[in-house]
Structures are given as structure tokens and as C-alpha cells.
Short mmCIF file of all heavy atoms in Angstrom, two decimals:
data_model
loop_
_atom_site.label_atom_id
_atom_site.label_comp_id
_atom_site.label_asym_id
_atom_site.label_seq_id
_atom_site.Cartn_x
_atom_site.Cartn_y
_atom_site.Cartn_z
N GLN A 172 35.90 51.41 -52.90
CA GLN A 172 35.67 52.54 -53.81
C GLN A 172 36.54 52.37 -54.98
O GLN A 172 37.76 52.36 -54.86
CB GLN A 172 35.84 53.87 -53.07
CG GLN A 172 35.44 55.07 -53.84
CD GLN A 172 33.88 55.19 -53.96
OE1 GLN A 172 33.17 54.72 -53.17
NE2 GLN A 172 33.45 55.82 -54.97
N LEU A 173 35.98 52.36 -56.18
CA LEU A 173 36.78 52.21 -57.44
C LEU A 173 37.01 53.67 -57.96
O LEU A 173 36.09 54.42 -57.98
CB LEU A 173 35.99 51.43 -58.45
CG LEU A 173 36.62 51.28 -59.81
CD1 LEU A 173 37.94 50.51 -59.74
CD2 LEU A 173 35.62 50.64 -60.78
N ILE A 174 38.22 53.99 -58.29
CA ILE A 174 38.61 55.25 -58.86
C ILE A 174 39.02 55.09 -60.31
O ILE A 174 39.91 54.26 -60.59
CB ILE A 174 39.77 55.92 -58.06
CG1 ILE A 174 39.37 56.07 -56.55
CG2 ILE A 174 40.09 57.29 -58.64
CD1 ILE A 174 40.52 56.47 -55.73
N VAL A 175 38.34 55.72 -61.20
CA VAL A 175 38.57 55.69 -62.61
C VAL A 175 38.64 57.00 -63.30
O VAL A 175 38.12 58.03 -62.66
CB VAL A 175 37.54 54.79 -63.32
CG1 VAL A 175 37.55 53.38 -62.87
CG2 VAL A 175 36.15 55.39 -63.24
N CYS A 176 39.28 57.03 -64.46
CA CYS A 176 39.27 58.23 -65.23
C CYS A 176 38.76 57.83 -66.60
O CYS A 176 38.54 56.63 -66.87
CB CYS A 176 40.67 58.81 -65.36
SG CYS A 176 41.86 57.76 -66.25
N GLU A 177 38.48 58.76 -67.49
CA GLU A 177 37.93 58.43 -68.85
C GLU A 177 38.87 57.43 -69.58
O GLU A 177 38.38 56.51 -70.19
CB GLU A 177 37.70 59.69 -69.64
CG GLU A 177 36.57 60.54 -69.16
CD GLU A 177 35.20 59.86 -69.43
OE1 GLU A 177 35.09 58.98 -70.24
OE2 GLU A 177 34.26 60.29 -68.68
N GLU A 178 40.14 57.67 -69.48
CA GLU A 178 41.10 56.85 -70.25
C GLU A 178 41.08 55.39 -69.74
O GLU A 178 41.05 54.38 -70.57
CB GLU A 178 42.48 57.47 -70.03
CG GLU A 178 43.52 56.84 -71.00
CD GLU A 178 44.87 57.53 -70.88
OE1 GLU A 178 44.89 58.73 -70.48
OE2 GLU A 178 45.90 56.89 -71.21
N LEU A 179 40.96 55.22 -68.50
CA LEU A 179 40.90 53.83 -67.91
C LEU A 179 39.64 53.13 -68.31
O LEU A 179 39.58 51.97 -68.70
CB LEU A 179 41.09 53.81 -66.41
CG LEU A 179 42.50 53.82 -65.76
CD1 LEU A 179 42.45 53.81 -64.31
CD2 LEU A 179 43.25 52.67 -66.38
N ALA A 180 38.51 53.89 -68.09
CA ALA A 180 37.22 53.30 -68.43
C ALA A 180 37.15 52.88 -69.95
O ALA A 180 36.63 51.80 -70.31
CB ALA A 180 36.07 54.36 -68.16
N ALA A 181 37.70 53.76 -70.78
CA ALA A 181 37.74 53.42 -72.24
C ALA A 181 38.56 52.12 -72.45
O ALA A 181 38.19 51.30 -73.33
CB ALA A 181 38.31 54.55 -73.05
N GLU A 182 39.67 51.97 -71.76
CA GLU A 182 40.48 50.82 -71.89
C GLU A 182 39.72 49.58 -71.44
O GLU A 182 39.79 48.51 -72.03
CB GLU A 182 41.77 50.97 -71.13
CG GLU A 182 42.71 49.79 -71.25
CD GLU A 182 44.06 49.96 -70.48
OE1 GLU A 182 44.41 51.06 -70.15
OE2 GLU A 182 44.79 48.95 -70.41
N TYR A 183 39.07 49.63 -70.28
CA TYR A 183 38.29 48.52 -69.77
C TYR A 183 37.24 48.07 -70.80
O TYR A 183 37.11 46.84 -71.07
CB TYR A 183 37.59 48.84 -68.47
CG TYR A 183 38.44 49.23 -67.33
CD1 TYR A 183 37.97 49.96 -66.27
CD2 TYR A 183 39.78 48.76 -67.21
CE1 TYR A 183 38.75 50.31 -65.13
CE2 TYR A 183 40.53 49.09 -66.13
CZ TYR A 183 40.05 49.79 -65.09
OH TYR A 183 40.81 50.18 -64.02
N LEU A 184 36.55 49.03 -71.37
CA LEU A 184 35.49 48.67 -72.27
C LEU A 184 36.04 48.13 -73.55
O LEU A 184 35.50 47.20 -74.12
CB LEU A 184 34.62 49.94 -72.56
CG LEU A 184 33.93 50.55 -71.38
CD1 LEU A 184 33.31 51.87 -71.76
CD2 LEU A 184 32.85 49.56 -70.85
N GLU A 185 37.18 48.67 -73.98
CA GLU A 185 37.82 48.16 -75.21
C GLU A 185 38.29 46.72 -75.06
O GLU A 185 38.15 45.89 -75.94
CB GLU A 185 38.94 49.06 -75.60
CG GLU A 185 39.63 48.73 -77.02
CD GLU A 185 40.74 47.75 -76.92
OE1 GLU A 185 41.48 47.69 -75.91
OE2 GLU A 185 40.84 46.97 -77.88
N ILE A 186 38.84 46.39 -73.88
CA ILE A 186 39.38 45.02 -73.62
C ILE A 186 38.15 44.11 -73.59
O ILE A 186 38.29 43.02 -74.16
CB ILE A 186 40.16 45.02 -72.34
CG1 ILE A 186 41.53 45.75 -72.56
CG2 ILE A 186 40.40 43.58 -71.89
CD1 ILE A 186 42.30 46.00 -71.26
N LEU A 187 37.10 44.47 -72.92
CA LEU A 187 35.93 43.57 -72.88
C LEU A 187 35.41 43.30 -74.28
O LEU A 187 35.06 42.17 -74.60
CB LEU A 187 34.82 44.18 -71.97
CG LEU A 187 35.13 44.24 -70.46
CD1 LEU A 187 34.13 45.04 -69.77
CD2 LEU A 187 35.29 42.84 -69.88
N THR A 188 35.37 44.32 -75.08
CA THR A 188 34.94 44.17 -76.45
C THR A 188 35.87 43.28 -77.24
O THR A 188 35.39 42.32 -77.96
CB THR A 188 34.79 45.57 -77.17
OG1 THR A 188 33.87 46.38 -76.41
CG2 THR A 188 34.31 45.40 -78.58
N ARG A 189 37.10 43.45 -77.05
CA ARG A 189 38.13 42.70 -77.80
C ARG A 189 38.01 41.18 -77.38
O ARG A 189 38.32 40.30 -78.18
CB ARG A 189 39.49 43.20 -77.53
CG ARG A 189 40.52 42.65 -78.52
CD ARG A 189 41.86 43.37 -78.38
NE ARG A 189 42.05 44.39 -77.38
CZ ARG A 189 43.01 44.40 -76.48
NH1 ARG A 189 44.01 43.46 -76.48
NH2 ARG A 189 43.13 45.33 -75.60
N LEU A 190 37.70 40.94 -76.11
CA LEU A 190 37.60 39.58 -75.62
C LEU A 190 36.31 38.96 -76.04
O LEU A 190 36.05 37.71 -75.73
CB LEU A 190 37.64 39.57 -74.06
CG LEU A 190 39.02 39.93 -73.45
CD1 LEU A 190 38.88 40.06 -71.95
CD2 LEU A 190 40.03 38.86 -73.84
N GLY A 191 35.41 39.66 -76.72
CA GLY A 191 34.23 39.06 -77.24
C GLY A 191 33.10 39.08 -76.29
O GLY A 191 32.02 38.34 -76.53
N VAL A 192 33.12 39.92 -75.31
CA VAL A 192 31.98 40.06 -74.37
C VAL A 192 30.79 40.66 -75.10
O VAL A 192 30.98 41.56 -75.94
CB VAL A 192 32.35 40.86 -73.10
CG1 VAL A 192 31.13 41.13 -72.24
CG2 VAL A 192 33.47 40.20 -72.33
N ASP A 193 29.54 40.13 -74.88
CA ASP A 193 28.41 40.64 -75.54
C ASP A 193 28.28 42.15 -75.47
O ASP A 193 28.43 42.68 -74.30
CB ASP A 193 27.16 39.91 -74.87
CG ASP A 193 25.86 40.42 -75.54
OD1 ASP A 193 25.52 39.76 -76.58
OD2 ASP A 193 25.30 41.34 -75.09
N PRO A 194 28.00 42.82 -76.58
CA PRO A 194 28.02 44.32 -76.56
C PRO A 194 26.95 44.83 -75.53
O PRO A 194 27.18 45.92 -74.89
CB PRO A 194 27.52 44.62 -77.98
CG PRO A 194 28.04 43.53 -78.80
CD PRO A 194 27.97 42.27 -77.91
N ASP A 195 25.82 44.15 -75.38
CA ASP A 195 24.82 44.66 -74.40
C ASP A 195 25.43 44.59 -72.90
O ASP A 195 25.12 45.50 -72.11
CB ASP A 195 23.59 43.78 -74.46
CG ASP A 195 22.73 44.05 -75.68
OD1 ASP A 195 22.85 45.16 -76.24
OD2 ASP A 195 21.97 43.14 -76.04
N ARG A 196 26.17 43.54 -72.68
CA ARG A 196 26.79 43.42 -71.37
C ARG A 196 27.87 44.48 -71.14
O ARG A 196 27.96 45.06 -70.07
CB ARG A 196 27.37 42.01 -71.28
CG ARG A 196 27.75 41.65 -69.86
CD ARG A 196 28.04 40.16 -69.79
NE ARG A 196 28.00 39.81 -68.39
CZ ARG A 196 28.03 38.62 -67.93
NH1 ARG A 196 28.16 37.56 -68.75
NH2 ARG A 196 28.03 38.38 -66.66
N VAL A 197 28.63 44.82 -72.16
CA VAL A 197 29.65 45.88 -72.08
C VAL A 197 28.88 47.18 -71.83
O VAL A 197 29.34 48.02 -71.00
CB VAL A 197 30.39 45.94 -73.39
CG1 VAL A 197 31.38 47.16 -73.31
CG2 VAL A 197 31.28 44.72 -73.55
N SER A 198 27.77 47.45 -72.45
CA SER A 198 27.04 48.67 -72.30
C SER A 198 26.46 48.75 -70.87
O SER A 198 26.51 49.82 -70.27
CB SER A 198 25.85 48.76 -73.30
OG SER A 198 26.31 48.95 -74.62
N ARG A 199 26.00 47.66 -70.36
CA ARG A 199 25.49 47.69 -68.98
C ARG A 199 26.64 47.93 -67.99
O ARG A 199 26.46 48.66 -67.00
CB ARG A 199 24.82 46.37 -68.60
CG ARG A 199 23.48 46.19 -69.31
CD ARG A 199 22.60 45.11 -68.75
NE ARG A 199 23.28 43.78 -68.72
CZ ARG A 199 23.31 42.89 -69.70
NH1 ARG A 199 22.73 43.08 -70.80
NH2 ARG A 199 23.98 41.74 -69.48
N PHE A 200 27.82 47.37 -68.24
CA PHE A 200 28.92 47.60 -67.41
C PHE A 200 29.34 49.09 -67.43
O PHE A 200 29.65 49.74 -66.39
CB PHE A 200 30.18 46.77 -67.80
CG PHE A 200 31.39 47.03 -67.04
CD1 PHE A 200 31.52 46.65 -65.72
CD2 PHE A 200 32.48 47.65 -67.62
CE1 PHE A 200 32.64 46.95 -64.96
CE2 PHE A 200 33.65 47.87 -66.95
CZ PHE A 200 33.69 47.54 -65.58
N GLU A 201 29.38 49.67 -68.60
CA GLU A 201 29.67 51.13 -68.77
C GLU A 201 28.61 51.96 -68.00
O GLU A 201 28.99 52.93 -67.23
CB GLU A 201 29.70 51.55 -70.20
CG GLU A 201 29.96 53.02 -70.39
CD GLU A 201 30.10 53.48 -71.78
OE1 GLU A 201 29.58 52.79 -72.68
OE2 GLU A 201 30.63 54.57 -72.00
N GLU A 202 27.40 51.59 -68.04
CA GLU A 202 26.36 52.34 -67.30
C GLU A 202 26.57 52.23 -65.84
O GLU A 202 26.43 53.30 -65.07
CB GLU A 202 24.95 51.76 -67.70
CG GLU A 202 23.83 52.52 -66.99
CD GLU A 202 23.62 53.99 -67.35
OE1 GLU A 202 24.12 54.30 -68.46
OE2 GLU A 202 23.07 54.73 -66.59
N ARG A 203 26.95 51.08 -65.35
CA ARG A 203 27.25 50.96 -63.91
C ARG A 203 28.46 51.78 -63.55
O ARG A 203 28.45 52.38 -62.44
CB ARG A 203 27.49 49.48 -63.54
CG ARG A 203 26.23 48.69 -63.45
CD ARG A 203 26.46 47.35 -62.86
NE ARG A 203 25.52 46.42 -63.36
CZ ARG A 203 25.67 45.27 -63.94
NH1 ARG A 203 26.90 44.92 -64.14
NH2 ARG A 203 24.66 44.57 -64.39
N LEU A 204 29.50 51.80 -64.34
CA LEU A 204 30.59 52.61 -64.02
C LEU A 204 30.20 54.07 -63.92
O LEU A 204 30.67 54.81 -63.04
CB LEU A 204 31.72 52.52 -65.15
CG LEU A 204 32.63 51.33 -65.13
CD1 LEU A 204 33.59 51.45 -66.28
CD2 LEU A 204 33.47 51.30 -63.86
N ARG A 205 29.32 54.56 -64.75
CA ARG A 205 28.95 55.95 -64.79
C ARG A 205 28.01 56.37 -63.71
O ARG A 205 27.88 57.47 -63.37
CB ARG A 205 28.47 56.28 -66.16
CG ARG A 205 29.43 56.01 -67.22
CD ARG A 205 29.37 57.09 -68.33
NE ARG A 205 30.42 56.85 -69.31
CZ ARG A 205 31.65 57.40 -69.26
NH1 ARG A 205 31.95 58.27 -68.34
NH2 ARG A 205 32.55 57.16 -70.23
N THR A 206 27.21 55.41 -63.15
CA THR A 206 26.14 55.74 -62.27
C THR A 206 26.29 55.16 -60.82
O THR A 206 25.58 55.68 -59.90
CB THR A 206 24.81 55.33 -62.84
OG1 THR A 206 24.77 53.91 -62.93
CG2 THR A 206 24.52 55.98 -64.13
N HIS A 207 27.08 54.16 -60.62
CA HIS A 207 27.18 53.54 -59.35
C HIS A 207 27.90 54.39 -58.29
O HIS A 207 28.90 55.05 -58.59
CB HIS A 207 27.87 52.14 -59.46
CG HIS A 207 27.54 51.25 -58.34
ND1 HIS A 207 28.14 51.29 -57.13
CD2 HIS A 207 26.64 50.23 -58.29
CE1 HIS A 207 27.65 50.37 -56.34
NE2 HIS A 207 26.70 49.67 -57.01
N GLY A 208 27.34 54.45 -57.11
CA GLY A 208 27.86 55.26 -56.08
C GLY A 208 29.26 54.95 -55.58
O GLY A 208 29.95 55.70 -54.93
N SER A 209 29.70 53.70 -55.85
CA SER A 209 30.99 53.24 -55.37
C SER A 209 32.12 53.51 -56.40
O SER A 209 33.18 52.97 -56.22
CB SER A 209 30.94 51.73 -54.96
OG SER A 209 30.79 50.95 -56.14
N VAL A 210 31.77 54.25 -57.44
CA VAL A 210 32.78 54.55 -58.47
C VAL A 210 32.99 56.06 -58.45
O VAL A 210 32.13 56.89 -58.50
CB VAL A 210 32.32 54.18 -59.88
CG1 VAL A 210 33.37 54.54 -60.92
CG2 VAL A 210 32.05 52.62 -59.96
N THR A 211 34.28 56.42 -58.26
CA THR A 211 34.66 57.81 -58.19
C THR A 211 35.41 58.17 -59.55
O THR A 211 36.39 57.49 -59.90
CB THR A 211 35.59 58.15 -57.00
OG1 THR A 211 34.89 57.94 -55.81
CG2 THR A 211 36.06 59.60 -57.06
N TRP A 212 34.91 59.15 -60.19
CA TRP A 212 35.55 59.64 -61.55
C TRP A 212 36.46 60.80 -61.16
O TRP A 212 36.11 61.72 -60.45
CB TRP A 212 34.43 60.01 -62.47
CG TRP A 212 33.71 58.84 -63.04
CD1 TRP A 212 32.69 58.18 -62.51
CD2 TRP A 212 34.07 58.23 -64.28
NE1 TRP A 212 32.30 57.17 -63.34
CE2 TRP A 212 33.15 57.15 -64.40
CE3 TRP A 212 35.02 58.45 -65.28
CZ2 TRP A 212 33.14 56.27 -65.51
CZ3 TRP A 212 35.01 57.57 -66.35
CH2 TRP A 212 34.14 56.52 -66.47
N VAL A 213 37.69 60.74 -61.75
CA VAL A 213 38.59 61.84 -61.63
C VAL A 213 39.08 62.31 -62.97
O VAL A 213 39.07 61.60 -63.94
CB VAL A 213 39.85 61.37 -60.74
CG1 VAL A 213 39.41 61.01 -59.32
CG2 VAL A 213 40.61 60.24 -61.39
N ASN A 214 39.49 63.56 -62.93
CA ASN A 214 40.21 64.22 -64.06
C ASN A 214 41.71 64.13 -63.77
O ASN A 214 42.12 64.42 -62.66
CB ASN A 214 39.78 65.67 -64.28
CG ASN A 214 38.35 65.76 -64.71
OD1 ASN A 214 37.85 65.07 -65.53
ND2 ASN A 214 37.63 66.68 -64.06
N LEU A 215 42.47 63.65 -64.72
CA LEU A 215 43.92 63.46 -64.44
C LEU A 215 44.66 64.78 -64.46
O LEU A 215 44.39 65.60 -65.30
CB LEU A 215 44.45 62.51 -65.53
CG LEU A 215 43.91 61.13 -65.54
CD1 LEU A 215 44.70 60.24 -66.54
CD2 LEU A 215 43.96 60.52 -64.14
N GLY A 216 45.54 64.87 -63.53
CA GLY A 216 46.44 65.96 -63.49
C GLY A 216 47.78 65.61 -63.97
O GLY A 216 47.95 65.18 -65.08
N LYS A 217 48.76 65.65 -63.16
CA LYS A 217 50.11 65.28 -63.43
C LYS A 217 50.24 63.85 -63.95
O LYS A 217 49.64 62.98 -63.41
CB LYS A 217 51.02 65.44 -62.18
CG LYS A 217 52.45 65.01 -62.43
CD LYS A 217 53.25 65.07 -61.06
CE LYS A 217 54.61 64.54 -61.30
NZ LYS A 217 55.33 64.30 -60.11
N ARG A 218 50.98 63.66 -64.96
CA ARG A 218 51.25 62.34 -65.56
C ARG A 218 52.53 61.86 -64.96
O ARG A 218 53.52 62.57 -65.03
CB ARG A 218 51.29 62.42 -67.09
CG ARG A 218 49.94 62.67 -67.76
CD ARG A 218 48.93 61.63 -67.44
NE ARG A 218 47.67 61.94 -68.06
CZ ARG A 218 47.14 61.24 -68.97
NH1 ARG A 218 47.62 60.12 -69.27
NH2 ARG A 218 45.92 61.58 -69.40
N PHE A 219 52.52 60.69 -64.47
CA PHE A 219 53.69 60.06 -63.92
C PHE A 219 54.50 59.34 -64.93
O PHE A 219 53.98 58.94 -65.96
CB PHE A 219 53.30 59.13 -62.76
CG PHE A 219 52.70 59.84 -61.61
CD1 PHE A 219 51.42 60.18 -61.58
CD2 PHE A 219 53.53 60.12 -60.48
CE1 PHE A 219 50.82 60.85 -60.50
CE2 PHE A 219 52.99 60.78 -59.40
CZ PHE A 219 51.65 61.14 -59.38
N LYS A 220 55.78 59.16 -64.66
CA LYS A 220 56.70 58.43 -65.60
C LYS A 220 57.46 57.40 -64.79
O LYS A 220 58.52 56.91 -65.28
CB LYS A 220 57.60 59.41 -66.33
CG LYS A 220 56.86 60.37 -67.17
CD LYS A 220 57.79 61.26 -67.90
CE LYS A 220 56.89 62.22 -68.70
NZ LYS A 220 57.72 63.28 -69.32
N GLU A 221 57.01 57.03 -63.64
CA GLU A 221 57.81 56.10 -62.80
C GLU A 221 57.62 54.66 -63.10
O GLU A 221 58.47 53.82 -62.73
CB GLU A 221 57.38 56.32 -61.28
CG GLU A 221 57.97 57.54 -60.67
CD GLU A 221 57.24 58.83 -61.02
OE1 GLU A 221 56.22 58.74 -61.70
OE2 GLU A 221 57.65 59.89 -60.55
N SER A 222 56.62 54.25 -63.76
CA SER A 222 56.30 52.86 -63.98
C SER A 222 57.35 52.26 -65.04
O SER A 222 57.66 52.95 -65.99
CB SER A 222 54.87 52.64 -64.50
OG SER A 222 54.73 51.28 -64.79
N ARG A 223 57.67 51.01 -64.82
CA ARG A 223 58.50 50.35 -65.87
C ARG A 223 57.76 50.17 -67.12
O ARG A 223 58.37 50.09 -68.24
CB ARG A 223 58.88 48.99 -65.35
CG ARG A 223 59.93 49.05 -64.27
CD ARG A 223 60.24 47.61 -63.74
NE ARG A 223 59.08 47.05 -63.20
CZ ARG A 223 58.88 46.13 -62.41
NH1 ARG A 223 60.01 45.37 -62.12
NH2 ARG A 223 57.82 45.64 -61.89
N ASP A 224 56.43 50.03 -67.10
CA ASP A 224 55.56 49.92 -68.28
C ASP A 224 54.89 51.34 -68.44
O ASP A 224 53.96 51.67 -67.67
CB ASP A 224 54.52 48.87 -68.06
CG ASP A 224 53.60 48.65 -69.23
OD1 ASP A 224 53.68 49.55 -70.13
OD2 ASP A 224 52.84 47.69 -69.27
N PRO A 225 55.28 52.03 -69.49
CA PRO A 225 54.68 53.41 -69.66
C PRO A 225 53.15 53.41 -69.77
O PRO A 225 52.55 54.40 -69.31
CB PRO A 225 55.32 53.86 -70.95
CG PRO A 225 56.54 53.07 -71.10
CD PRO A 225 56.28 51.74 -70.48
N ASP A 226 52.55 52.30 -70.16
CA ASP A 226 51.13 52.21 -70.26
C ASP A 226 50.46 52.24 -68.83
O ASP A 226 49.31 52.56 -68.69
CB ASP A 226 50.67 51.02 -70.99
CG ASP A 226 50.95 51.08 -72.48
OD1 ASP A 226 51.19 52.16 -73.04
OD2 ASP A 226 51.05 49.99 -73.14
N ASP A 227 51.24 51.86 -67.85
CA ASP A 227 50.68 51.86 -66.46
C ASP A 227 50.79 53.25 -65.81
O ASP A 227 50.19 53.41 -64.69
CB ASP A 227 51.36 50.80 -65.63
CG ASP A 227 51.02 49.42 -66.01
OD1 ASP A 227 49.96 49.24 -66.65
OD2 ASP A 227 51.74 48.46 -65.63
N ASN A 228 51.42 54.22 -66.39
CA ASN A 228 51.48 55.53 -65.80
C ASN A 228 50.14 56.18 -65.55
O ASN A 228 49.93 56.90 -64.60
CB ASN A 228 52.38 56.43 -66.56
CG ASN A 228 53.87 56.04 -66.40
OD1 ASN A 228 54.29 55.61 -65.35
ND2 ASN A 228 54.63 56.09 -67.51
N VAL A 229 49.14 55.82 -66.40
CA VAL A 229 47.77 56.33 -66.21
C VAL A 229 47.22 55.77 -64.90
O VAL A 229 46.44 56.50 -64.21
CB VAL A 229 46.87 56.04 -67.43
CG1 VAL A 229 46.56 54.55 -67.55
CG2 VAL A 229 45.60 56.86 -67.38
N LEU A 230 47.58 54.59 -64.52
CA LEU A 230 47.14 54.06 -63.20
C LEU A 230 47.65 54.87 -62.08
O LEU A 230 46.94 55.19 -61.14
CB LEU A 230 47.52 52.59 -63.04
CG LEU A 230 46.94 51.58 -63.98
CD1 LEU A 230 47.54 50.26 -63.84
CD2 LEU A 230 45.37 51.48 -63.69
N LEU A 231 48.92 55.25 -62.15
CA LEU A 231 49.54 56.07 -61.10
C LEU A 231 48.84 57.44 -61.02
O LEU A 231 48.58 57.95 -59.91
CB LEU A 231 51.00 56.22 -61.36
CG LEU A 231 51.87 54.96 -61.25
CD1 LEU A 231 53.31 55.27 -61.67
CD2 LEU A 231 51.78 54.37 -59.91
N ALA A 232 48.58 58.04 -62.18
CA ALA A 232 47.97 59.40 -62.22
C ALA A 232 46.52 59.29 -61.72
O ALA A 232 46.10 60.21 -60.96
CB ALA A 232 48.01 59.92 -63.63
N THR A 233 45.82 58.24 -62.00
CA THR A 233 44.42 58.08 -61.53
C THR A 233 44.44 57.90 -60.05
O THR A 233 43.64 58.55 -59.27
CB THR A 233 43.77 56.89 -62.21
OG1 THR A 233 43.80 57.08 -63.64
CG2 THR A 233 42.34 56.74 -61.70
N ALA A 234 45.32 57.06 -59.52
CA ALA A 234 45.39 56.89 -58.07
C ALA A 234 45.80 58.15 -57.36
O ALA A 234 45.12 58.44 -56.28
CB ALA A 234 46.44 55.80 -57.76
N ALA A 235 46.68 58.90 -57.88
CA ALA A 235 47.04 60.18 -57.31
C ALA A 235 45.90 61.17 -57.33
O ALA A 235 45.63 61.88 -56.28
CB ALA A 235 48.28 60.81 -57.95
N ALA A 236 45.21 61.29 -58.41
CA ALA A 236 44.09 62.24 -58.56
C ALA A 236 43.01 61.85 -57.68
O ALA A 236 42.28 62.78 -57.11
CB ALA A 236 43.61 62.28 -60.03
N GLY A 237 42.78 60.56 -57.38
CA GLY A 237 41.67 60.13 -56.54
C GLY A 237 42.12 60.00 -55.04
O GLY A 237 41.30 59.54 -54.25
N GLU A 238 43.31 60.32 -54.81
CA GLU A 238 43.84 60.20 -53.47
C GLU A 238 43.68 58.82 -52.94
O GLU A 238 43.28 58.61 -51.73
CB GLU A 238 43.25 61.27 -52.53
CG GLU A 238 43.54 62.69 -52.99
CD GLU A 238 43.02 63.73 -52.09
OE1 GLU A 238 42.29 63.46 -51.13
OE2 GLU A 238 43.22 64.91 -52.38
N ALA A 239 43.99 57.78 -53.75
CA ALA A 239 43.84 56.39 -53.38
C ALA A 239 44.79 56.04 -52.31
O ALA A 239 45.96 56.49 -52.29
CB ALA A 239 44.04 55.48 -54.54
N ARG A 240 44.39 55.13 -51.36
CA ARG A 240 45.22 54.63 -50.33
C ARG A 240 46.00 53.39 -50.85
O ARG A 240 47.05 53.15 -50.32
CB ARG A 240 44.43 54.30 -49.11
CG ARG A 240 43.91 55.51 -48.47
CD ARG A 240 43.04 55.25 -47.18
NE ARG A 240 43.68 54.32 -46.28
CZ ARG A 240 42.99 53.60 -45.46
NH1 ARG A 240 41.65 53.70 -45.35
NH2 ARG A 240 43.59 52.76 -44.68
N PHE A 241 45.36 52.67 -51.82
CA PHE A 241 45.95 51.55 -52.36
C PHE A 241 45.86 51.48 -53.86
O PHE A 241 44.85 52.06 -54.42
CB PHE A 241 45.31 50.24 -51.81
CG PHE A 241 45.38 50.12 -50.35
CD1 PHE A 241 44.30 50.55 -49.53
CD2 PHE A 241 46.50 49.59 -49.72
CE1 PHE A 241 44.33 50.43 -48.20
CE2 PHE A 241 46.58 49.50 -48.36
CZ PHE A 241 45.48 49.92 -47.53
N LEU A 242 46.79 50.92 -54.57
CA LEU A 242 46.71 50.69 -56.00
C LEU A 242 46.80 49.18 -56.27
O LEU A 242 47.87 48.65 -55.89
CB LEU A 242 47.76 51.45 -56.75
CG LEU A 242 47.98 51.18 -58.25
CD1 LEU A 242 46.64 51.60 -58.98
CD2 LEU A 242 49.12 51.94 -58.79
N VAL A 243 45.80 48.57 -56.81
CA VAL A 243 45.84 47.12 -57.14
C VAL A 243 45.90 47.00 -58.61
O VAL A 243 45.07 47.52 -59.40
CB VAL A 243 44.63 46.42 -56.56
CG1 VAL A 243 44.60 44.93 -56.92
CG2 VAL A 243 44.44 46.68 -55.09
N SER A 244 46.96 46.29 -59.16
CA SER A 244 47.14 46.08 -60.55
C SER A 244 47.78 44.72 -60.72
O SER A 244 48.35 44.10 -59.81
CB SER A 244 48.04 47.15 -61.06
OG SER A 244 48.30 46.99 -62.41
N ASN A 245 47.62 44.17 -61.96
CA ASN A 245 48.24 42.91 -62.23
C ASN A 245 49.56 43.17 -62.84
O ASN A 245 49.79 43.25 -63.95
CB ASN A 245 47.30 42.07 -63.05
CG ASN A 245 47.85 40.68 -63.29
OD1 ASN A 245 48.76 40.27 -62.69
ND2 ASN A 245 47.15 39.97 -64.19
#
């Protein structure tokens, strides 16, 4: 089960676009994110400040809001 928030989804789409992925393919990916049953959308609550990289705090907040058991990041 993938847990995402609006901020993360926007980042994924922006990165794909920046990498030169075909716009139609990016649109199809966004549609899958929004409609696929294995994707859970959450609204972020508390913002964390524990990460060494402040940009990764949104990952912590998303995992907490979605009650994730695991967080996988690079």
C-alpha cells in the first residue's frame, strides 16, 4: 500500500517532468495515483523536524498520517 499526500505527489510529478518523461506518461501516472486502490491519500497533520534533511520531513509526516509500518526512502 502506497501512502501519499498532495505535496509528495506533486514532487513525484515534478521530478518525472524534469527528467524528461513524456507528458502523457506523467499524466497517466498521476491518474493511477489518484484512482488506484493500492494508493492511500492522507492529509498531513503534525510536521516533523527530526530528519537531517528538512525536505524529508514531509515523508515522516506522511508516514505518520497514514499510520505506515515502514518508511522506504533513498
Side-chain angles (χ1 to χ4, degrees):
Q172 189 71 25
L173 177 65
I174 302 170
V175 296
C176 65
E177 288 292 338
E178 191 173 337
L179 276 180
E182 182 177 346
Y183 296 156
L184 298 171
E185 188 271 326
I186 290 170
L187 291 171
T188 300
R189 195 169 6 125
L190 290 172
V192 175
D193 181 87
D195 289 335
R196 196 167 196 171
V197 174
S198 293
R199 288 193 308 271
F200 177 68
E201 180 178 16
E202 181 65 23
R203 282 192 207 124
L204 278 178
R205 300 217 177 266
T206 61
H207 202 277
S209 66
V210 179
T211 298
W212 285 84
V213 296
N214 293 315
L215 297 185
K217 176 185 175 192
R218 294 297 179 116
F219 292 83
K220 296 179 183 175
E221 282 82 0
S222 177
R223 288 178 297 198
D224 180 350
D226 292 336
D227 286 342
N228 287 324
V229 68
L230 293 171
L231 295 174
T233 302
E238 299 179 358
R240 292 178 47 203
F241 302 97
L242 172 61
V243 179
S244 177
N245 185 9

